[in-house]
Amino acid sequence: MTVLVTGGLGYIGSHTVVELLNSGYEVIVIDNLYNSYPEVEGRIKEITGKDLTFIKCDILDKAALDLVTSKREIDCCIHFAGLKAVGESVQKPLLYYENNITGTINLVNSLTENGCKKIIFSSSATVYGEENDIPYIETMKKGTCSSPYGWTKSMIEQILTDANTADPELSVVLLRYFNPIGAHPSGRIGEDPQGIPNNLMPYISQVAVGRRDHLTIFGNDYKTPDGTCRRDYIHVVDLAEGHVKAVEYAAKNKGTSIFNLGTGTPYSVLEIVNAFEKANGIEVKYEFGARRAGDLPEFWANSDKAKKELGWTAKKNLEDMCRDSWNWQKNNPNGYRED
Ligand code: NAD
Ligand code: UDP
C-alpha cells in the first residue's frame, strides 16, 4: 500500500514517514522545502533502513501535483504541507490562506481526479476556539479561531467535509493535534525551526544549548495552579503512530471522522521547564514576561474516541518528551544545517 505524504520532510511529517516505513508502507513524500531540509530524506532512510521516494513539489503547482498523482498508484494521502506560524499568519493572512487552502484544494482535486479517495489531514486543537469547555471533545461545535492560521485549519476541515458530502466514496480523517514536542529517540530527526522559535520546547532546547540567553514565560497571572498556561503536550512519535492508525482506519471506513490526538494530561509552562531540567540535568534560565496575545489559559484533549476507534493512545511520558527533545538538540545544535 502506497501513502503520499505532503510536507513529509517537516517535523511531524518526517516522524510519521519513519513509522509508516517501519509498518511496511511504501511512501512517497512531496515537500517544497520551504520549512524543511533535503538532509531529512537521508536521515529517515538511515533510521529505518528502508527506501522512500522524495519529489520536490509545491502543492500550489497543480500541474506538478498531477505529475505525481497520475503516474503512481496512491492509496492514501496524509496532508501535512502548510504554513504554521501563528504570529506570521496575523501579519500575512493572504499568504496563509493561499498556501494552506488553495494548496489543499489543488491536492484534493489532483488526488480524486487520479483515483485516490483517502485523505488524512493535520488539523489542530485551535479549531475549538475560545468558547468551549475543557477537555475538548470531538462532538463540540468548533469555535472562533484566534489567528488566520487557525482559520485555515477550521476552513480546510469544512472544505474536506463538504467534498465528502459531494462524494460519499471519500474517506476523510481530520486529526486534531494538541502540542507535539520531543523527537525521534535516535536524535537524527527533530524540530528545527528557522529563526527565533515560536513554540515552547524548541525555545527551551535552544536556551539549554546556549543559542538563546533565557526563556521568557508568557504570563504567570493566569487562573491556573501555578499561574502559567497549561497545554496537552504529546510526544511526536506517539503522534506519528496515530497517523499509521488513521491510515488503517481510512482503509476500512468511508465518511468524515474527527479524532483528537493528545494525552489528556495538561502541564504548565513551569512544569515543562522543571521537567526538562530534571530529565536532562541542565539548567534553563527563564524570566516571567507579559502574556502573549491570543493564548488561552489552558486546554487539553479528551482522546477517548481515538482510543476506542483507532486503537491508539499516547504511550510516552513527559520525561521521554524532554529527554528526546534535548537528545535531538544537543546532537544537532544548529539543526540540519550542519550536514
Ligand atoms: P513543518 O513546517 O515542520 O512541516 C510542514 C512541511 O510542509 C514543511 O516541510 C514545509 O516545507 C512543507 N510545505 C509548506 N508549504 C508547502 C507547499 N505549498 N507545498 C509543499 N510543501 C509545503 O510543520 P509541522 O510542525 O511538521 O506541522 C505539520 C502540519 O501539522 C502542519 O499542517 C501544521 O499546521 C499542523 N500542526 C502542527 C502543530 C505543531 O505544533 N507542530 C500543531 C497542530 C497542527
Ligand atoms: N510559551 C512561553 N514562552 C515561549 C513560547 C511559548 O511561555 O517562548 C508558552 C505559551 O504562552 C503557551 C505554551 O508555552 O502557554 C505553549 O506555547 P506554544 O507556542 O508551544 O504552543 P501553543 O499552545 O501556543 O500552540
Side-chain angles (χ1 to χ4, degrees):
M1 191 167 162
T2 300
V3 182
L4 176 70
V5 183
T6 76
L9 296 192
Y11 172 46
I12 306 170
S14 56
H15 289 82
T16 300
V17 172
V18 166
E19 297 309 317
L20 288 168
L21 291 171
N22 284 340
S23 302
Y25 291 97
E26 300 284 323
V27 178
I28 302 165
V29 168
I30 57 173
D31 199 304
N32 67 355
L33 301 177
Y34 179 86
N35 197 33
S36 52
Y37 296 87
E39 288 78 8
V40 178
E41 181 189 358
R43 294 197 181 192
I44 293 172
K45 290 177 177 167
E46 176 198 311
I47 292 169
T48 59
K50 304 221 166 112
D51 209 3
L52 67 105
T53 304
F54 169 61
I55 301 161
K56 187 170 179 228
C57 172
D58 194 313
I59 58 169
L60 290 177
D61 185 344
K62 171 75 164 47
L65 270 177
D66 287 343
L67 278 178
V68 175
T69 55
S70 63
K71 291 209 170 126
R72 298 164 183 83
E73 205 51 34
I74 294 166
D75 299 289
C76 182
C77 174
I78 308 182
H79 178 30
F80 293 104
L83 301 178
K84 63 162 185 176
V86 174
E88 185 187 52
S89 80
V90 176
Q91 304 304 320
K92 300 176 183 170
L94 300 186
L95 176 72
Y96 273 66
Y97 287 118
E98 183 180 28
N99 190 75
N100 294 3
I101 294 183
T102 307
T104 300
I105 293 171
N106 282 341
L107 177 71
V108 176
N109 278 331
S110 186
L111 289 168
T112 52
E113 284 160 16
N114 290 287
C116 175
K117 301 257 181 187
K118 301 178 200 320
I119 301 161
I120 295 163
F121 175 61
S122 293
S123 190
S124 164
T126 193
V127 302
Y128 288 104
E130 306 165 352
E131 297 88 347
N132 281 302
D133 291 334
I134 36 182
Y136 293 155
I137 186 159
E138 295 88 343
T139 47
M140 287 171 167
K141 269 200 158 90
K142 290 196 291 182
T144 307
C145 294
S146 58
S147 70
Y149 164 75
W151 281 119
T152 69
K153 294 293 171 195
S154 191
M155 289 177 193
I156 292 169
E157 285 197 354
Q158 189 63 48
I159 289 167
L160 293 173
T161 305
D162 292 344
N164 197 172
T165 304
D167 179 357
E169 289 302 304
L170 288 185
S171 296
V172 172
V173 183
L174 308 174
L175 298 179
R176 293 180 179 162
Y177 311 155
F178 282 68
N179 286 59
I181 59 172
H184 192 268
S186 64
R188 297 296 288 157
I189 55 172
E191 186 169 13
D192 183 14
Q194 294 175 15
I196 301 170
N198 297 305
N199 298 109
L200 180 64
M201 189 52 96
Y203 208 107
I204 289 177
S205 305
Q206 291 194 9
V207 171
V209 87
R211 275 171 71 180
R212 318 254 157 224
D213 178 63
H214 68 276
L215 169 76
T216 301
I217 296 182
F218 299 141
N220 62 341
D221 57 353
Y222 286 97
K223 281 195 184 134
T224 57
D226 65 20
T228 66
C229 292
R230 297 202 296 167
R231 296 286 182 272
D232 183 339
Y233 296 91
I234 173 170
H235 197 295
V236 66
V237 172
D238 277 331
L239 191 63
E241 286 173 0
H243 290 75
V244 176
K245 296 288 188 188
V247 171
E248 292 165 12
Y249 181 90
K252 292 189 213 120
N253 297 277
K254 288 178 187 154
T256 299
S257 309
I258 305 174
F259 295 102
N260 287 339
L261 296 182
T263 66
T265 306
Y267 290 105
S268 73
V269 179
L270 268 178
E271 284 174 317
I272 297 291
V273 172
N274 293 336
F276 187 95
E277 291 183 325
K278 186 160 174 245
N280 301 312
I282 189 162
E283 194 201 350
V284 177
K285 268 192 358 192
Y286 67 84
E287 287 174 4
F288 292 116
R291 290 183 178 194
R292 183 172 68 177
D295 272 344
L296 294 176
E298 56 183 2
F299 60 83
W300 61 93
N302 174 321
S303 284
D304 292 352
K305 188 176 174 208
K307 184 174 183 184
K308 197 161 155 239
E309 294 185 28
L310 295 181
W312 173 91
T313 43
K315 297 185 207 102
K316 294 179 184 272
N317 61 24
L318 184 56
E319 190 185 341
D320 299 325
M321 301 181 214
C322 291
R323 188 195 54 237
D324 292 339
S325 289
W326 177 234
N327 186 43
W328 153 253
Q329 185 70 74
K330 75 169 188 258
N331 286 307
N332 308 269
N334 296 309
Y336 292 109
R337 273 146 290 212
E338 280 173 334
D339 273 17

